[in-house]
Amino acid sequence: MTAVRLDASGPLARLVLARPERHNAIDLTMARELQAALAECATSPGVRALLIGAEGPAFCVGGDLGHVGGDPDALRDIARDMVEAVQDVVARVAELPVPVVCAAGGAVAGVGLGLLWASDIVVAGDDLRLATAFADVGVSGDGGSSWWLPRLVGLRRAQELMLLNRRLDAREADDWGLVTRVVPAVELAEEAERTAGELASGATVALGRMRALLRDGVSAGLREHLAAEADGVLACADSADMREALRAFGERRRPRFVGG
């Protein structure tokens, strides 16, 4: 991998967008690398949380327009290959069985936003600048923004963000509920690492089920969702972590979770 770096050797996997010379704009090669990295995270039994970060002053400015527009006569074919790959990337982040923390600073736009939306915790630097940018390049949107934004901020604000390409700074993104918290840019990496490490030492089965329940609950019926909650409780009851938590409660100590 050249545009993406992955370290999945420990409980906390670290995935880094490493194309700073292009502000981490995603071309088809980078999208394929992200697919492969996320597949590795999903199948590595020791991984208990994922931290997504980026090199350079921008987290990700979206799709690489130079790549997409490189051959106008083949635009439809290039767009099809790109959108299929980047949509799969966002879905893979959302579907991981472990919690995901995203450290985002600088410019974030287009499909780069999909990585934020699909994460559970977004720690933002105070230099964050956020825009959907789709309207400015004549595209209807990708990365799940039209699915996530009405759920995160409501329909009217979602319409403003997409149709009018409203730009938000870090404070506004925090006020709108699009990030979890804002920290000084110089502290972003440290704070994101601390948060992700906390999740990586938690009850992995419970946290994985929790992220799926929270994601799916907005579109499920009540009884369907209650059934999913019940399935989650039973899965946790089969885990070593729930047994450890109950022992720790009886012994009046903090649990020592092992992730199973």
Side-chain angles (χ1 to χ4, degrees), residues 5 14 30 60 64 103 106 118 128 141 149 156-157 193 195 207 213 224 230 233 240-241 250 256-257 259:
R5 292 202 318 272
R14 298 171 179 85
M30 187 175 180
C60 177
D64 188 330
L128 182 76
L149 283 173
R156 286 296 179 224
R157 280 184 163 178
E193 181 83 13
T195 302
L207 294 176
L213 287 166
E224 177 187 358
V233 170
D241 282 341
R256 294 182 289 272
F257 295 123

Side-chain angles (χ1 to χ4, degrees), residues 110 131-142 159-167:
T132 61
F134 300 124
D136 284 359
V137 296
V139 67
S140 55
D142 57 17
Q159 290 166 324
E160 183 179 11
L161 285 168
M162 293 194 65
L163 276 71
L164 294 176
N165 194 26
R166 166 75 180 270
R167 291 161 170 79

Side-chain angles (χ1 to χ4, degrees), residues 48 200-204 240-242 244-246 254-260:
R48 299 173 59 187
S201 64
T204 306
D241 282 341
M242 186 170 177
E244 162 62 10
L246 294 174
R254 291 186 62 83
R256 294 182 289 272
F257 295 123
V258 297

Side-chain angles (χ1 to χ4, degrees), residues 243-254 256:
R243 292 182 175 88
E244 162 62 10
L246 294 174
R247 281 194 300 271
F249 177 79
E251 297 168 6
R252 297 187 179 184
R253 60 173 175 82
R254 291 186 62 83
R256 294 182 289 272

Side-chain angles (χ1 to χ4, degrees), residues 43-256:
T43 56
S44 297
V47 169
R48 299 173 59 187
L50 172 64
L51 173 59
I52 301 176
E55 288 185 356
F59 176 77
C60 177
V61 295
D64 188 330
L65 299 183
H67 169 75
V68 175
D71 183 355
D73 293 333
L75 178 57
R76 181 180 176 85
D77 291 337
I78 296 171
R80 182 193 61 241
D81 292 342
M82 270 290 294
V83 76
E84 288 177 354
V86 297
Q87 301 295 68
D88 182 63
V89 166
V90 173
R92 286 177 183 270
V93 175
E95 293 167 357
L96 281 174
V98 297
V100 180
V101 175
C102 186
V108 190
V111 70
L113 292 169
L115 299 176
L116 272 63
W117 310 153
S119 298
D120 303 296
I121 304 293
V122 179
V123 183
D126 59 8
D127 60 344
L128 182 76
R129 304 182 310 281
L130 182 156
T132 61
F134 300 124
D136 284 359
V137 296
V139 67
S140 55
D142 57 17
S145 282
S146 60
W147 191 90
W148 286 103
L149 283 173
R151 291 163 168 78
L152 290 167
V153 300
L155 179 59
R156 286 296 179 224
R157 280 184 163 178
Q159 290 166 324
E160 183 179 11
L161 285 168
M162 293 194 65
L163 276 71
L164 294 176
N165 194 26
R166 166 75 180 270
R167 291 161 170 79
L168 303 179
D169 61 22
R171 180 189 59 78
E172 292 169 319
D174 190 21
D175 289 343
W176 284 34
L178 290 172
V179 301
T180 306
R181 57 181 169 271
V182 176
V183 300
V186 295
E187 300 175 12
L188 175 59
E190 180 182 355
E191 177 62 14
E193 181 83 13
R194 184 197 65 77
T195 302
E198 179 180 340
L199 290 168
S201 64
T204 306
V205 173
L207 294 176
R209 290 283 182 154
M210 199 179 295
R211 78 184 304 255
L213 287 166
L214 289 168
R215 180 190 67 232
D216 299 339
V218 292
S219 55
L222 175 59
R223 286 192 175 274
E224 177 187 358
H225 194 71
L226 290 172
E229 283 188 334
D231 288 342
V233 170
L234 295 179
C236 293
D238 289 333
S239 71
D241 282 341
M242 186 170 177
R243 292 182 175 88
E244 162 62 10
L246 294 174
R247 281 194 300 271
F249 177 79
E251 297 168 6
R252 297 187 179 184
R253 60 173 175 82
R254 291 186 62 83
R256 294 182 289 272

